[in-house]
Amino acid sequence: MARNGSLPGPLNGIRVLDFTRHLAGAGSTRILATLGAEILRIEWPHPPALDFLRLSGPHADGRPGMNRGGFFAQINVGKKSVAIDMSTEAGKAIARELIPHCDVIAESFSPGVMKRWGLDYESVRALRPDIIYLSASGFGQTGPYAGYRSVGPTAQAYSGLTATSGLPDREPAGWGFSYMDHMGAVMNAAAILMGLERRRATGEGEFFDAGQSQHGCALLGPMLLDVSLNGAQVRPKGNRDLYGNFCPNNAYRCRGEDSWLAISVREPHEWAALCETIGADDLVARPELATLAGRLAHEDEIDSRIEAWTQPCDAHEAMAALQEAGVPAGVAQTVEDKVHRDPQLAFRGLYTTLDDPVLGEKRYEDVPVTMEGFEVGVPGPSPWLGADTRDVLGGLLGYSGEKLEQLKAEAIIDDAITLEEAQAV
Amino acid sequence: MSGTLEHLTVVELAGPRTEWCGKLFAQAGARVVLVEPPGGAETRSYAPWFGERRDRESSLHFWHYNTDKQSVVLDLVAEEGREAFLGLLGEADVLLDGSEPGGLGDLGLTREVIEGANERLVHVALTPFGQEGPMAAWKGSDLVHQALGGQMMMNGYDDMPASPPVNGQGNQAGHMAGSWGFIAALAALQTGRGAFIDLSVHDACAGMTENALPQYDYTGKVVTRRTGRHASVAPTPAWQHRAADGRYINAQLVNVSPRAWEGLVSWLDEHGMAEDLTDPKYFVPEIFREEADHISEVIGRFVATKRADEIFHGAQARALIFSAILNPEDLLDDPHLAARDFWIELDQGEPEGMLRYAGSAFVAQNSEVRPRRRAPHLDEHGQALREGLAKQ
């Protein structure tokens, strides 16, 4: 649910100086924002401090612009934007002045950029000893591939996540989106929170060197021990369970175009309920199919019997019938299904609608948790570039109006704050 | 070096939904007490197994997710077991609870009883669909959650008619949800007060499909799956190519800088395979986009003449975001992971001895996030824990 300010967020009072970009970086400070932290995005309309995501589509009314990107808006909800030209000495000095006022600093530039700006961990720690500092990159700050470039699909390919997803004996299907940008963001938020929790106990700061690709490797799960201890070669098995812990476990064709229902069975009572629902009295009567091992030996036969039942069925109706009988089943949903046909997501308020004067009324993905006594969730729209420069530098650093005008005239800072200005860029 | 979260105590009710969240705490040094039912946690019976062994001490699934944890068997159906459980909660910071909605309450362990045992406890309740709502009683699995969450419908093949959507492997629904449990619990701890966190696996998955929602909201169009690359509203050029050694390459050409393009073209040209890509017209973004299929085909022909690792490192040296598509076993001798101490040795005890485990991907400077101890045997710490509780 979107926050309305009636209760505090659990991270109220935590301030983050945010140099992250794209989803893997900026997604982590989004998570902190949904939990109540104050996020100060340092950015600029030109490289190196430009977030290219601001230029990515889809755009409001199909017209490109710095403040018109729908994906950027999704990832930067409720943050503040402070426009500083970090290529200037005066700009770097302002960033250093902000550090003592911040609990966390997060960045996702290529290794070396923050050091060139005098903002590496050692320099920052001198200004704020208990700072929690996250450097997020594709392959980490050290090691032979430290300089390598990575986006989500790169990390997925390198880590084994791509190769293990697919139909047998075909090229990999991989992941049809940047899963490791999402999970990179999640792991980066987790690192920052571990640092904050340790600071709460010890009073000390911490530095995390996060590599998106390494996090991908760590997410292979039990495959890791299978290769290291059994010498296994893990190859994709389509939608069947890689290790046979569930059977049947597959996606079955339903009525209509490209309509599929996933079904997973492990327990004997689930198997009996499945057979009853699909009218397969003969299968439930066969004792060899009562065990997982027995069903795995007849998986082709079982799959074809299930699909013979699902094929003429509406996927959502078949799902409801199976779930009512106690069988784990789920439609392979599109985003349209999730928005319009999923009563549970609607009940939990996963999609929050915000009205933004530039973007219009749009949906935002909210958090998967509620926390009694606290408010968590999407805090508000994304910021126009530079919208909070004056408030932050005036409020936190006490810059006078005159000084702010001077810095703006020298093109050290910027502050697009009117709707016309926001629309224009 | 000290563990990052070594000051915390976590009680985890054993179950498939909580084990990744528990591992995130345990590898950071928190004391994680795994409460197992008589007979052991369900996932002690999950494959893969260690070699040919098939007993409850030999599941690699269990070994992987339960490193560093302590095991105590408690029968929560019995009064004695419940009392011991509440005793454990009295000294805990966090409870990881993957029971069905209302499941613990049916045993008399209602939220009031649990809060009575420790009012500062952060109680993470991790259910398939949340505590309440029209689907709250429904069941999930990794496959079912990635289907309903929207991941599956974005993965698959567009060059193979009528092929199914494809599920990502490795328990990713559990990873998405469990990681959020870790995040929410750590956030709640910052308040110094207790909290009840209602976490839905379905919500966690449904909220992680990158650009699918903005595309739909801004254009009214639904993304559809493409072989080995991002689901999209319109067809896109192939970016997965087969190398000479049979392995595949991810050769994504997004946001290619002029410098990277020059590097790529001159690399192809050195091998006489640049074809017409040397034409400066490709620096014009519109032409680059219009000719994307042609560019992809030329690159594909070049990739087919080289080994995957040659393409991976050669491309990265030219500032391109390519990677070889590695198999999990390739990670065992990957020099970068070795340099970052990704693989570690843990003492499995007799008769196995030292075994090679995956460490953690978190690299900290002043403290440490890495597994130190193998998963516990069933009730390995039970006697000591029960005696400790009896003294209280």
Side-chain angles (χ1 to χ4, degrees):
Chain A
M1 293 285 180
R3 284 164 36 198
N4 61 25
S6 58
L7 288 168
L11 297 184
N12 274 186
I14 298 294
R15 187 179 292 127
V16 181
L17 192 62
D18 185 6
F19 289 93
T20 62
R21 301 293 181 260
H22 303 287
L23 172 55
S28 64
T29 52
R30 181 201 208 260
I31 291 170
L32 303 179
T34 62
L35 296 166
E38 180 186 9
I39 314 295
L40 311 180
R41 271 182 68 83
I42 308 300
E43 50 182 340
W44 193 246
H46 309 286
L50 168 68
D51 187 348
F52 279 98
L53 208 58
R54 277 198 175 272
L55 304 174
S56 302
H59 299 103
D61 309 320
R63 190 156 60 82
M66 286 278 177
N67 300 311
R68 311 186 63 80
F71 191 36
F72 174 87
Q74 183 69 231
I75 294 166
N76 290 283
V77 287
K79 301 180 185 177
K80 294 176 178 172
S81 174
V82 182
I84 301 175
D85 184 357
M86 291 299 295
S87 69
T88 65
E89 285 310 310
K92 292 172 195 138
I94 296 170
R96 282 194 290 271
E97 268 189 79
L98 284 168
I99 286 166
H101 301 274
C102 295
D103 303 279
V104 176
I105 177 167
E107 64 96 6
S108 63
F109 293 113
S110 300
V113 171
M114 293 296 272
K115 188 167 176 68
R116 283 202 296 281
W117 291 350
L119 291 171
D120 57 311
Y121 177 52
E122 295 310 321
S123 306
V124 167
R125 181 155 73 158
L127 300 166
R128 172 86 193 223
D130 66 351
I131 196 93
I132 307 303
Y133 192 124
L134 171 83
S135 275
S137 60
F139 284 84
Q141 308 290 312
T142 63
Y145 307 164
Y148 280 19
R149 286 152 199 264
S150 168
V151 292
T154 320
Q156 288 145 215
Y158 170 81
S159 64
L161 288 166
T162 299
T164 51
S165 164
L167 295 175
D169 305 317
R170 300 288 304 203
E171 68 180 294
W175 289 76
F177 63 104
S178 288
Y179 177 62
M180 279 317 300
D181 282 353
H182 277 295
M183 288 307 284
V186 163
M187 292 303 165
N188 291 336
I192 291 168
L193 282 158
M194 281 196 281
L196 287 170
E197 173 58 19
R198 180 170 177 272
R199 187 187 74 170
R200 193 174 70 96
T202 66
E204 294 171 14
E206 184 57 286
F207 171 80
F208 286 97
D209 164 16
Q212 179 189 23
S213 301
Q214 197 171 342
H215 276 301
C217 299
L219 290 171
L220 284 179
M223 286 182 253
L224 290 161
L225 284 180
D226 196 23
V227 298
S228 75
L229 301 186
N230 289 335
Q233 296 194 330
V234 183
R235 296 295 177 268
K237 292 178 67 181
N239 291 313
R240 289 181 174 175
D241 188 68
L242 207 49
Y243 290 112
N245 291 314
F246 298 83
C247 181
N249 191 79
N250 217 330
Y252 303 93
R253 190 185 310 276
C254 296
R255 192 174 72 214
E257 192 188 341
D258 202 24
S259 180
W260 303 83
L261 180 65
I263 299 172
S264 288
V265 165
R266 178 171 168 84
E267 302 298 332
H269 63 89
E270 293 168 348
W271 169 244
L274 169 68
C275 290
E276 189 180 349
T277 308
I278 70 170
D281 297 345
D282 57 318
L283 294 185
V284 81
R286 281 163 58 181
E288 79 270 22
L289 301 183
T291 66
L292 190 55
R295 292 196 297 278
L296 286 166
H298 297 86
E299 198 163 10
D300 288 342
E301 180 193 357
I302 291 169
D303 276 349
S304 59
R305 285 293 297 275
I306 295 173
E307 193 155 271
W309 180 78
T310 57
Q311 209 148 3
C313 288
D314 171 81
H316 280 86
E317 288 172 14
M319 167 174 70
L322 287 164
Q323 284 279 7
E324 292 307 319
V327 180
V331 174
Q333 298 202 103
T334 65
V335 61
E336 191 166 37
D337 293 325
K338 289 194 291 180
V339 168
H340 294 297
R341 295 192 72 176
D342 189 317
Q344 189 67 13
L345 293 181
F347 177 85
R348 303 242 327 159
L350 185 75
Y351 297 116
T352 286
T353 300
L354 296 176
D355 193 8
D356 179 294
V358 174
L359 303 174
E361 209 168 90
K362 291 289 184 288
R363 292 183 185 89
Y364 294 82
E365 279 148 352
D366 221 313
V367 296
V369 293
T370 63
M371 203 181 283
E372 274 177 29
F374 299 96
E375 209 173 50
V376 296
V378 168
S382 61
W384 303 335
L385 183 60
D388 305 286
T389 308
R390 280 174 180 274
D391 283 352
V392 170
L393 300 186
L396 274 184
L397 302 183
Y399 284 13
S400 66
E402 197 183 348
K403 181 168 183 177
L404 290 166
E405 286 305 326
Q406 175 79 23
L407 287 166
K408 187 179 175 184
E410 292 168 5
I412 310 283
I413 64 168
D414 202 357
D415 60 348
I417 47 167
T418 66
L419 178 58
E420 290 70 27
E421 284 172 314
Q423 290 273 18
V425 292
Chain B
M1 209 184 283
S2 60
T4 307
L5 299 179
E6 65 178 17
H7 60 286
L8 292 179
T9 295
V10 176
V11 173
E12 178 188 345
L13 267 175
R17 274 192 287 280
T18 48
E19 58 191 358
W20 171 245
C21 188
K23 181 180 171 78
L24 289 169
F25 276 106
Q27 69 184 12
R31 174 178 175 241
V32 177
V33 180
L34 186 71
V35 175
E36 301 195 59
E42 179 187 332
T43 57
R44 286 185 182 272
S45 64
Y46 278 29
W49 300 97
F50 180 56
E52 298 305 311
R53 284 167 35 183
R54 296 287 183 275
D55 58 77
R56 68 187 181 197
E57 300 296 347
S58 305
S59 160
L60 296 187
H61 178 108
F62 186 84
W63 285 13
H64 172 74
Y65 283 113
N66 293 283
T67 43
D68 299 294
K69 297 179 188 175
Q70 302 178 357
S71 166
V72 57
V73 169
L74 294 178
D75 182 5
L76 299 184
V77 178
E79 176 71 32
E80 194 183 12
R82 288 195 295 275
E83 270 177 26
F85 178 65
L86 292 170
L88 284 174
L89 294 186
E91 57 188 50
D93 301 286
V94 177
L95 167 64
L96 303 180
D97 164 17
S99 59
E100 310 297 322
L104 279 184
D106 292 347
L107 297 171
L109 293 167
T110 61
R111 281 187 47 201
E112 292 68 33
V113 170
I114 288 171
E115 280 162 21
N118 182 349
E119 62 177 20
R120 293 162 71 94
L121 186 71
V122 173
H123 181 168
V124 183
L126 224 164
T127 52
F129 296 96
Q131 295 291 316
E132 295 175 0
M135 290 159 62
W138 285 19
K139 291 179 171 183
S141 74
D142 188 52
L143 181 75
V144 164
H145 281 303
Q146 288 194 52
L148 285 169
Q151 279 74 31
M152 249 177 104
M153 212 50 175
M154 296 172 78
N155 308 343
Y157 302 87
D158 63 344
D159 53 356
M160 195 177 158
S163 58
V166 174
N167 187 46
Q169 293 298 329
N171 297 327
Q172 302 310 331
H175 292 162
M176 288 184 253
S179 305
W180 253 102
F182 185 59
I183 284 170
L186 289 172
L189 285 168
Q190 303 313 300
T191 69
R193 288 159 47 184
F196 180 80
I197 294 165
D198 170 7
L199 167 54
S200 151
V201 181
H202 182 37
D203 281 12
C205 295
M208 290 198 212
T209 52
E210 209 188 2
N211 210 356
L213 178 68
Q215 282 292 357
Y216 178 65
D217 234 18
Y218 284 71
T219 70
K221 291 175 182 160
V222 173
V223 296
T224 57
R225 53 196 187 273
R226 315 276 170 199
T227 305
R229 59 195 190 279
H230 275 41
S232 59
V233 297
T236 51
W239 74 36
Q240 195 160 278
H241 305 293
R242 193 163 193 252
D245 56 1
R247 292 168 178 270
Y248 284 87
I249 281 288
N250 182 296
Q252 197 185 347
L253 286 176
V254 174
N255 296 331
V256 181
S257 68
R259 182 171 73 89
W261 176 251
E262 272 175 351
L264 176 63
V265 172
S266 63
W267 187 23
L268 270 62
D269 205 23
E270 283 165 29
H271 295 84
M273 298 194 73
E275 303 183 26
D276 72 331
L277 299 191
T278 50
D279 191 326
K281 73 177 182 183
Y282 290 109
F283 284 103
V284 180
E286 290 74 23
I287 295 177
F288 187 90
R289 274 198 297 275
E290 281 165 19
E291 297 294 325
D293 284 327
H294 169 63
I295 293 169
S296 166
E297 286 161 15
V298 176
I299 292 172
R301 285 189 280 273
F302 176 66
V303 169
T305 67
K306 299 269 174 221
R307 290 193 320 270
D309 65 318
E310 291 177 284
I311 297 291
F312 176 24
H313 302 298
Q316 285 284 352
R318 292 166 174 84
L320 294 154
I321 53 176
F322 295 8
S323 175
I325 295 176
L326 301 181
N327 291 312
E329 65 270 21
D330 297 330
L331 305 180
L332 291 168
D333 48 17
D334 181 81
H336 185 67
L337 290 178
R340 288 175 66 82
D341 294 328
F342 179 72
W343 296 100
I344 56 171
E345 298 278 318
L346 294 182
D347 186 355
Q348 197 70 26
E350 293 300 326
E352 300 90 355
M354 300 300 287
L355 296 181
R356 193 179 193 197
Y357 276 73
S360 114
F362 293 100
V363 178
Q365 183 164 316
N366 306 322
S367 61
E368 197 171 51
V369 184
R370 76 193 309 244
R372 294 159 193 236
R373 195 171 188 285
R374 59 160 172 79
H377 301 310
L378 183 61
D379 203 39
E380 183 174 347
H381 307 83
Q383 191 180 349
L385 283 165
R386 279 185 292 268
E387 282 171 4
L389 289 169
K391 280 184 198 148
Q392 284 174 9

